[in-house]
Each structure stands twice: as C-alpha cells, then as structure tokens.
Amino acid sequence: MKTAPGDKPTILIVDDVPSNIQVLAEALRAEYRVMVAGSGKMAFEIIARKGLPDLILLDVMMPGMDGYAVCRRLKENPLTQGVPVIFVTAKTDPEDEEQGLRLGAVDYIGKPFHLPIVLVRVRNHINLKLKSDLLETYAWLDALTNIPNRRRFDESFVIEWKRAQRTGLPLSLIVLDIDYFKPFNDHHGHGAGDICLCHVATTLAASVTRSGDLVARYGGEEFVALLPNTGEAGALQIAERLRGQIEALRMPHGYSPASAWVTVSAGLASTVPQADESPDRLFEKADQQLYGAKQAGRNRVCR
Ligand SMILES: [Mg+2]
C-alpha cells in the first residue's frame, strides 16, 4: 500500500503485552494510522487483510513466532521486504541488537524506552520511507509526459505475457507513433513538440481506462498500449478510438502531408501466447503493422 500525499502514514505495532501496545499506540495516533497485533501470526494476518504498513514496530520476545522470525519472514518476501522494521525490545545486549539489525531492521530501541525518542526515530524512518516510495513512483513514470515509461511497460509486458500463457486468454499490443513528428519539431520548435507529446500521452492514457490495461511512452514519439484479455477485434476498436481521439484534438500540424492536424499511426497484434513463445515476437508483429500503417498513408490502424 502506497500512502498518498495527505494520508496519514500507517504503523503496525506488534507486541504480546497489551499495555506496551497501548502506550505506543496512544502516542502515535495523533500523527499516524495505527494497526496493532498481539503476535507474529496476527501481524501477517493483518498485513494480508489491510495491506502493507509504512513502518512496523516489532517486539522480540513473543510466544510462538518471535520478533526475529517475523522480521526474517518479512525480509524474505519481495512483497513485504520494503517495509521498514524497528525492533522495540527488552533484549538489549549488543549481540541481540546486532542480530536484529543484521536481519534487516532499520533501528533497534531498548525497553524501557524514552517515548519522545521513539517518536523522533519513528518520524525519521517514516520520512525516509515516504521519500523512497516517491522515488519508486518516479522510476516508473516518463519524466516529460507523466504517464508510465518504457521500464514500466517492459515489466508489465512480461508479467501479462506469463499470465496469458497460464490462463490461455489473448493478449493484444498496440504500437502508436505520431505522424511526421520530426517536421513538427523542426518547424514548430521543440517546446511545441514537448507540448504535443504531453497532449498525445495524456489523451491516450485517459482513453484506456479498463483496469489491467496500460498505456506507456515507449520512447521519442512512440507509445504502446498493452491490453490483457483482449482479442484482435477488441484491440482494433481500442486502436481506432485512440487514433480518432488524437485526430479530434485538432492540434495544428503545418508540415504533415497526412493531415492538417497532429495524427497517429498504429500497428496492432494479438496472440494467445504459447509456452515456447517470447513476447518480443508480439512486439515485432505490432511494429511491422505500424510500419504498414505508415506506408499506407499514416493516420490509420493496421493489423
Ligand atoms: Mg514481548
């Protein structure tokens, strides 16, 4: 779970002694959303039910799974390993602290604790966590257009490809390219070129709204739409809609033999991926169709 700006960050307190939980929870509630668990097992149940917290305050000595075991399991799972863990424990030997930090905890606080120090440490680690979430978000976005970038597409393409191999459902890919973008840039200037890219990107992204679908900027003036559970007929409808919506923006293009407006050409390919196939082949097919659309006069969809 990513904490949206303005939302209170979420902290999970795990301790087998209710009075310990109470002291921490009361102090943290003003600034954070607080979830509590009386055991390691319960902590995983809460995470499964309510999503990932931004920080976990974790006791060590607990019946059943102890805090070290909880931390180990959190750090082993790619889905939970990014959640920072702070041990809060009466086990204060240097060896214990070393073990906790080696397991991947970001901090180690001894009991009895001085509450104001706990609060400051929590705040410091929450700030780092929110910054790292933000960086992760940026890593998947195209810096100019603010829609998903090629990295995000490459990752999703492989995931959806494997999913389609498992389910036997079709997967479609549309590759789109702005027509005569180089002359547009050369004559209208790069500033206008950037504005054009942003309008096209935003329009494409807003036009594909089914969950699971993904529109990304592939590079330069090239965009892709990845459409899981979609066969050729459905993908063709979507591609035609995208093409039509870009034309309907009526962005003047003074140097396009294809139209008075900015237009896009699109190539589409669909498949039910077989076990021995690689996603590159689908991309090549869509790209060939895009080439065909360019050859046939642009501002059109080829399949
Ligand atoms: Mg305990």
Side-chain angles (χ1 to χ4, degrees):
M1 175 174 61
K2 291 273 184 288
T3 301
D7 280 1
K8 281 183 179 179
T10 305
I11 295 178
L12 172 62
I13 306 171
V14 189
D15 198 309
D16 60 316
V17 179
S19 58
N20 288 343
I21 287 187
Q22 208 180 343
V23 172
L24 287 170
E26 263 172 31
L28 292 166
R29 246 182 211 123
E31 270 185 80
Y32 308 101
R33 214 179 118 227
V34 177
M35 307 192 291
V36 302
S39 69
K41 184 167 173 277
M42 210 186 289
F44 286 102
E45 285 166 8
I46 286 177
I47 290 172
R49 213 170 55 235
K50 300 200 169 172
L52 295 178
D54 293 299
L55 182 79
I56 298 175
L57 294 177
L58 184 55
D59 183 25
V60 173
M61 288 183 285
M62 298 185 287
M65 201 188 305
D66 75 3
Y68 295 144
V70 172
C71 187
R72 202 173 289 121
R73 198 168 133 188
L74 286 166
K75 296 299 164 187
E76 276 168 5
N77 183 344
L79 293 175
T80 55
Q81 65 188 3
V83 181
V85 171
I86 299 179
F87 281 112
V88 183
T89 173
K91 276 172 82 84
T92 51
D93 290 344
E95 292 77 19
D96 296 324
E97 180 165 350
E98 185 189 342
Q99 184 182 355
L101 295 174
R102 277 190 192 282
L103 285 172
V106 293
D107 211 343
Y108 200 97
I109 298 173
K111 283 181 196 161
F113 49 73
H114 182 61
L115 192 54
I117 291 183
V118 175
L119 295 181
V120 175
R121 288 191 171 178
V122 163
R123 183 178 300 168
N124 288 345
H125 287 296
I126 285 281
N127 285 342
L128 284 173
K129 164 66 163 52
L130 297 183
K131 267 184 206 153
S132 108
D133 284 355
L134 196 63
L135 285 176
E136 204 183 301
T137 308
Y138 287 150
W140 301 109
L141 283 181
D142 176 57
L144 174 68
T145 63
N146 237 13
I147 69 168
N149 59 15
R150 176 172 176 173
R151 187 170 162 215
R152 174 75 200 283
F153 165 74
D154 286 342
E155 183 126 324
S156 300
F157 194 18
V158 172
I159 291 170
E160 293 302 341
W161 184 266
K162 288 182 183 157
R163 199 199 308 273
Q165 280 176 330
R166 281 199 309 274
T167 59
L169 292 166
L171 180 67
S172 291
L173 179 68
I174 305 171
V175 181
L176 306 101
D177 184 290
I178 300 175
D179 295 323
Y180 297 105
F181 189 65
K182 188 176 181 310
F184 182 96
N185 255 335
D186 290 346
H187 292 96
H188 296 291
H190 284 275
D194 283 353
I195 292 170
C196 172
L197 285 169
C198 288
H199 278 314
V200 169
T202 311
T203 304
L204 296 177
S207 306
V208 173
T209 52
R210 295 181 314 182
S211 81
D213 291 350
L214 176 79
V215 169
R217 182 179 178 205
Y218 194 72
E221 67 270 33
E222 196 162 66
F223 298 86
V224 284
L226 180 65
L227 311 167
N229 306 350
T230 308
E232 191 180 87
L236 182 61
Q237 269 184 10
I238 293 171
E240 279 295 352
R241 190 174 76 217
L242 295 175
R243 189 207 56 75
Q245 281 178 341
I246 298 305
E247 192 174 29
L249 289 173
R250 303 207 152 217
M251 280 187 285
H253 189 328
Y255 304 87
S256 165
S259 169
W261 318 111
V262 169
T263 56
V264 292
S265 298
L268 95 78
S270 297
T271 191
V272 178
Q274 302 305 304
D276 55 346
E277 264 184 307
S278 110
D280 298 347
R281 182 77 195 101
L282 184 66
F283 196 97
E284 277 166 30
K285 275 194 208 163
D287 211 33
Q288 280 161 11
Q289 295 303 322
L290 170 60
Y291 182 76
K294 295 277 183 195
Q295 294 299 106
R298 295 175 166 80
N299 189 23
R300 70 195 62 216
V301 178
C302 271
R303 69 196 148 109

